[in-house]
Amino acid sequence: MSESEITAPAKNRLEGIDFARAIAMMGMTVVNFSIYIGRAEGDPQWLIQLESLFSGRAAATFVFLAGVGVALLTTRTRNDRTPENRRSARLNLLKRGVFLFLLGVSFRAQWPYDILHFYGIYLTIASLVFLWPARWLVGLAVFTTLAFVAFYFALPPLLDLDYWASPSFANPSEALQDVFFTGHHPVTPWFAYFLVGMAVGRIDLHRSANHWRLLIGGAVLIGLAKAIKFAALNLALVKLIPSENWGFAISYVADIFGTSAYPPAPLYILFGLGTGMIVLSLSLMICAAEWRRKLFTPVIWTGQMALTFYLLHVYIGVTAAEWFLPEESESVYWLFAWVIGFFVFCLIFATIWRSRFQRGPVEWAMRRLVD
């Protein structure tokens, strides 16, 4: 999602965040296009590994960046906490949350993997906590992550539900289940990305020293996640857990020590946060110099219009893949060719559009409807 509005004021804008958002958008197209363009025998292992790196982590970076953007948007309110400013900022976030939730619910009929209605929920909750100290936000992120673990063990047997089933969004109780637990980007634990992003957005992201701190911190988080996973699964330490006494199979307990997107266990959150921090830090470094910002202007504009391109990647990219790709296109080569082709389309579209308009079409519509 691109929230052109969820950024610092224009005069203070950090183009590195827009650059990072564009990179995350390209990563999401890899994941989503792969649903329709599969692998083939003989595909090189390194390309398959490259494809798998994007799974779940591109979307996590999007959510993390949205949290950073909220922190930048509400900077003035945090510095001048008059009742009027607090009320205005809270209403601003709430209206955007409602807009994105309704847009996402409508879009979900076309795209079952939609993330926008989850964004709407994230923004709605953020409207209540955006003034909290950074350490409280991180604490809530930890609670949100651990809450998923509790839900994962307790709710399926308690409510007789299948975690892996796709609930009907037309049923209110199943809709709540989707949004908070079993959906593709549920509040528990995905809101942790948003919360940590809000905390990271409090630091001075113009300083190069903080760019390096984010880079190193992200690498540490990824290393920590991989080390814990290796100890628990590769060294089989998970077998020391007396799971029989709890009534759980070892394989079920082992899920909590994985780093894949399903289920989104704590190590997945650590890995995703590390990825988001690294992408943000490198993007800020790239855009720190004026000549590089000018060189990558089309990428930056693409990031500023990522909400528009998120919708178009389904209406144009996925639809075209279904209609026009030949049956023999099942190959990772075709996948990356399709991703690169769509990204080039985004760069060209963004350049032409931004030469005449300040905001993307969907970003403009959101601004007009909610402001």
Side-chain angles (χ1 to χ4, degrees):
M1 177 189 81
S2 167
E3 286 270 38
S4 292
E5 280 61 55
I6 299 185
T7 56
K11 65 179 181 179
N12 228 4
R13 191 179 187 104
L14 282 162
E15 288 89 351
I17 296 177
D18 300 317
F19 186 96
R21 192 179 289 118
I23 299 306
M25 178 68 213
M26 184 175 68
M28 285 187 70
T29 61
V30 173
V31 177
N32 293 338
F33 289 172
S34 69
I35 298 172
Y36 298 91
I37 308 174
R39 303 167 184 171
E41 290 186 17
D43 282 344
Q45 193 62 32
W46 70 271
L47 269 181
I48 293 175
Q49 290 295 325
L50 179 62
E51 175 203 342
S52 65
L53 283 177
F54 292 100
S55 180
R57 296 180 182 102
T61 300
F62 259 100
V63 178
F64 171 76
L65 292 172
V68 174
V70 165
L72 295 176
L73 176 69
T74 57
T75 299
R76 187 175 67 176
T77 303
R78 292 197 311 276
N79 294 334
D80 183 12
R81 302 191 181 196
T82 63
E84 182 180 356
N85 283 345
R86 291 200 304 266
R87 185 165 50 249
S88 176
R90 184 167 287 115
L91 183 61
N92 186 286
L93 293 175
L94 183 60
K95 288 192 294 185
R96 280 165 172 72
V98 172
F99 173 86
L100 290 173
F101 179 78
L102 295 177
L103 178 63
V105 169
S106 302
F107 185 56
R108 195 176 187 274
Q110 171 73 19
W111 184 245
Y113 313 104
D114 171 67
I115 197 174
L116 297 181
H117 66 289
F118 292 103
Y119 269 57
I121 299 296
Y122 303 154
L123 280 168
T124 301
I125 302 174
S127 70
L128 303 176
V129 303
F130 72 95
L131 291 175
W132 285 16
R135 63 182 181 276
W136 288 18
L137 296 175
V138 174
L140 182 57
V142 172
F143 173 82
T144 302
T145 302
L146 296 179
F148 171 80
V149 178
F151 290 166
Y152 188 68
F153 284 117
L155 293 187
L158 185 64
L159 302 180
D160 191 27
L161 61 85
D162 180 4
Y163 172 78
W164 303 99
S166 297
S168 169
F169 210 73
N171 183 305
S173 64
E174 292 189 358
L176 286 174
Q177 173 188 324
D178 176 270
V179 167
F180 287 94
F181 178 45
T182 60
H184 293 288
H185 314 93
V187 172
T188 56
W190 275 72
F191 190 50
Y193 292 126
F194 200 100
L195 288 164
V196 175
M198 290 173 66
V200 168
R202 305 284 182 90
I203 68 177
D204 185 359
L205 294 176
H206 292 88
R207 293 185 57 194
S208 60
N210 288 333
H211 303 167
W212 283 103
R213 290 188 180 100
L214 281 174
L215 181 64
I216 295 170
V220 168
L221 289 181
I222 290 176
L224 180 62
K226 292 180 75 68
I228 295 174
K229 177 184 177 182
F230 180 82
L233 302 183
N234 296 76
L235 299 181
L237 295 185
V238 70
K239 291 185 178 180
L240 299 178
I241 299 174
S243 55
E244 296 85 358
N245 297 336
W246 302 344
F248 294 111
I250 284 292
S251 60
Y252 199 70
V253 177
D255 287 343
I256 299 302
F257 294 93
T259 56
S260 62
Y262 298 101
L267 297 186
Y268 168 71
I269 300 300
L270 279 182
F271 205 111
L273 284 174
T275 302
M277 291 166 67
I278 289 174
V279 170
L280 175 59
S281 63
L282 292 177
S283 299
L284 291 170
M285 291 177 185
I286 289 171
C287 295
E290 184 177 356
W291 71 270
R292 289 197 294 267
R293 288 199 299 272
K294 290 182 179 180
L295 178 65
F296 291 110
T297 294
V299 181
I300 292 169
W301 284 347
T302 297
Q304 293 172 2
M305 295 174 56
L307 176 55
T308 294
F309 291 129
Y310 176 76
L311 298 176
L312 289 182
H313 98 281
V314 173
Y315 288 122
I316 293 180
V318 170
T319 301
E322 288 185 288
W323 288 0
F324 299 117
L325 279 181
E327 292 184 5
E328 60 271 17
S329 65
E330 294 294 314
S331 169
V332 72
Y333 289 114
W334 273 103
L335 170 62
F336 280 103
W338 207 250
V339 168
I340 292 170
F342 181 78
F343 192 65
V344 170
F345 161 79
C346 292
L347 296 176
I348 296 172
F349 186 96
T351 301
I352 296 173
W353 186 271
R354 283 300 308 274
S355 68
R356 300 188 59 187
F357 305 102
Q358 184 179 2
R359 295 182 178 85
V362 182
E363 288 79 7
W364 174 85
M366 181 175 67
R367 180 71 177 265
R368 294 284 295 178
L369 289 172
V370 303
D371 283 358

